[in-house]
Amino acid sequence: MAKKLSVLISGGGTGGHIFPAVAIADAIRRRVPEAKILFVGAEERMEMQRVPAAGYEIIGLPVRGLIRPLYSPRNIGVMIDFLRSRRKVKGIIRTLRPDIAIGVGGYASAPTLNAAAALGIPCLIQEQNSFAGVTNRSLAKKAAAICVAYDGMERFFPEEKLIITGNPVRQGLKSNLTKAAAAKAFGFTGNRPTLLIVGGSLGARTVNDSVLGAIGQIAAADADIIWQTGSIYKEGVARVLEEKGRPKNLFVTEFISDMAAAYAAADLVISRAGASSISELCLLAKPSILVPSPNVAEDHQTHNAMALVNKGAALMVPDAEAARTLITLALQTVANKGQLQRLGANAGLMARPDAADIIAEKALSLVKD
């Protein structure tokens, strides 16, 4: 009896790594329904909840990120955990006998793909950002193929291994809802311009502080605002709104479960510039104002944002300027139909809706008979 296809997928830490990984797994399963797909993540990170919720099994590793500065004595413990994780992955591989290992970035990718390559398993890397992360750069020599979303990635990877695929995005983001029907889910009529504010899967302090500092301006605006604060900022936001009063045109929630409805309601989106968020905005041809997080490796979110700004597909506000300018710019932009149309059209030109399928096909092509 022939062995069933086995696939090992590793990575996580943020929604920006998890959503593409799940989308790739879904694309593989559409092609090979009986495939055994196992995820490997980092213990106590987001993927340990989100991946099972998507219907896949996951095993956690005791892996952590390096501590700055790199000469910190605490990195001795980090390296011990890396070696423990690598040993654990080797056991997983000997049990699963995967035909292909796929890494999407994040702490768990390094020990997983290192172990897979050492045991002769073909490896594929998926890099979401326009500035490659340390983990994926370190794995490049071991990879058989490297799938990227931006031009110019030969700066980081061997050119002969590169395939421009775009970034996979969450399924079901496209909605047939009219703006009015979508807005109704948030208590609005859809008759006014609507601004959607999201700070990534964990929230964004600067974005939230910018909103709280402009409550009076928001209350006076001829626009409706949908605001996802993130769970870790929920209580702080609630305290401030209790003191200042919540404007009637402001819908506040810690997490939006129906992002398809939120996007359908929105005329303009304020967002961090994570690769997954940008790919979603392009797929849906949504005008956006991007506020790159300064707390990411190699400032890669600024590189992501500028890839859109340079093509007239988004506006950008640096994190340090957000408190002073973000909400004013957003309220001006959401009222400018011509500008919204131009930004949305240019964003749509950058979309790659079949990214997950291209990556899945490439991964399957690497599987040895």
Side-chain angles (χ1 to χ4, degrees):
M1 180 176 171
K3 173 181 175 291
K4 289 183 179 179
L5 176 74
S6 295
V7 180
L8 194 65
I9 301 179
S10 183
T14 67
H17 291 310
I18 298 165
F19 296 140
V22 170
I24 293 167
D26 290 343
I28 291 173
R29 183 150 283 173
R30 286 194 296 272
R31 285 158 177 75
V32 189
E34 71 278 9
K36 168 70 175 176
I37 300 177
L38 177 67
F39 281 73
V40 175
E43 293 173 353
E44 300 181 5
R45 301 289 288 186
M46 186 188 302
E47 57 266 28
M48 301 308 293
Q49 288 76 46
R50 295 289 178 87
V51 169
Y56 294 99
E57 181 185 355
I58 186 168
I59 295 175
L61 304 178
V63 66
R64 297 179 285 151
L66 289 168
I67 296 163
R68 309 283 177 166
L70 294 179
Y71 53 77
S72 168
R74 289 187 294 168
N75 278 326
I76 295 172
V78 173
M79 292 309 299
I80 291 172
D81 283 343
F82 176 87
L83 294 174
R84 287 174 57 211
S85 297
R86 194 169 184 269
R87 185 165 58 249
K88 184 174 181 178
V89 172
K90 283 189 174 182
I92 293 169
I93 290 173
R94 291 190 177 105
T95 301
L96 179 67
R97 295 169 57 214
D99 299 290
I100 181 75
I102 300 170
V104 298
Y107 300 147
S109 278
T112 301
L113 266 69
N114 264 295
L119 294 172
I121 309 300
C123 296
L124 179 147
I125 292 172
Q126 198 262 323
E127 172 59 58
Q128 296 100 32
N129 295 295
S130 62
F131 196 98
V134 172
T135 298
N136 280 347
R137 295 204 306 266
S138 69
L139 294 169
K141 288 183 179 179
K142 299 176 173 67
I146 303 170
C147 298
V148 298
Y150 297 93
D151 295 326
M153 298 301 286
E154 61 275 4
R155 293 176 294 160
F156 309 107
F157 301 122
E159 188 171 5
E160 68 277 8
K161 296 182 179 182
L162 290 177
I163 307 164
I164 298 181
T165 61
N167 285 322
V169 299
R170 288 178 279 186
Q171 299 296 306
L173 282 179
K174 287 191 173 182
S175 172
N176 293 322
L177 289 173
T178 63
K179 178 183 172 179
K184 189 176 180 180
F186 302 96
F188 301 130
T189 64
N191 294 329
R192 301 203 298 178
T194 302
L195 174 64
L196 171 63
I197 304 173
V198 291
S201 51
L202 300 176
R205 181 185 297 276
T206 300
V207 174
N208 289 345
D209 288 348
S210 299
V211 177
L212 292 173
I215 289 298
Q217 192 178 358
I218 287 170
D222 184 24
D224 296 321
I225 293 98
I226 301 167
W227 178 24
Q228 177 183 283
T229 65
S231 58
I232 61 176
Y233 300 107
K234 174 188 175 182
E235 293 180 2
V237 167
R239 282 195 300 270
V240 175
L241 290 179
E242 188 174 349
E243 294 170 6
K244 294 187 175 184
R246 181 180 66 81
K248 292 181 179 179
N249 62 336
L250 180 64
F251 174 91
V252 185
T253 181
E254 63 177 287
F255 180 73
I256 298 172
S257 56
D258 190 353
M259 278 303 297
Y263 278 132
D267 297 293
L268 176 68
V269 181
I270 291 176
S271 173
R272 285 301 201 190
S276 247
S277 298
I278 285 180
S279 296
E280 291 176 2
L281 293 167
C282 291
L283 177 69
L284 300 172
K286 283 292 171 182
S288 63
I289 300 177
L290 303 172
V291 186
S293 171
N295 306 312
V296 294
E298 288 93 15
D299 195 26
H300 68 251
Q301 287 202 5
T302 296
H303 294 274
N304 293 347
M306 289 307 300
L308 269 67
V309 171
N310 289 338
K311 294 190 177 182
L315 305 177
M316 186 183 83
V317 172
D319 190 84
E321 298 176 17
R324 182 170 52 86
T325 66
L326 177 59
I327 299 303
T328 298
L329 176 62
L331 293 176
Q332 290 172 349
T333 306
V334 79
N336 187 332
K337 291 184 178 180
Q339 187 178 22
L340 292 176
Q341 188 175 15
R342 288 191 297 273
L343 290 170
N346 289 335
L349 292 174
M350 298 182 70
R352 290 181 177 268
D354 54 353
D357 292 304
I358 296 172
I359 295 167
E361 291 286 358
K362 183 61 184 178
L364 293 175
S365 77
L366 298 174
V367 173
K368 296 175 182 177
D369 292 338

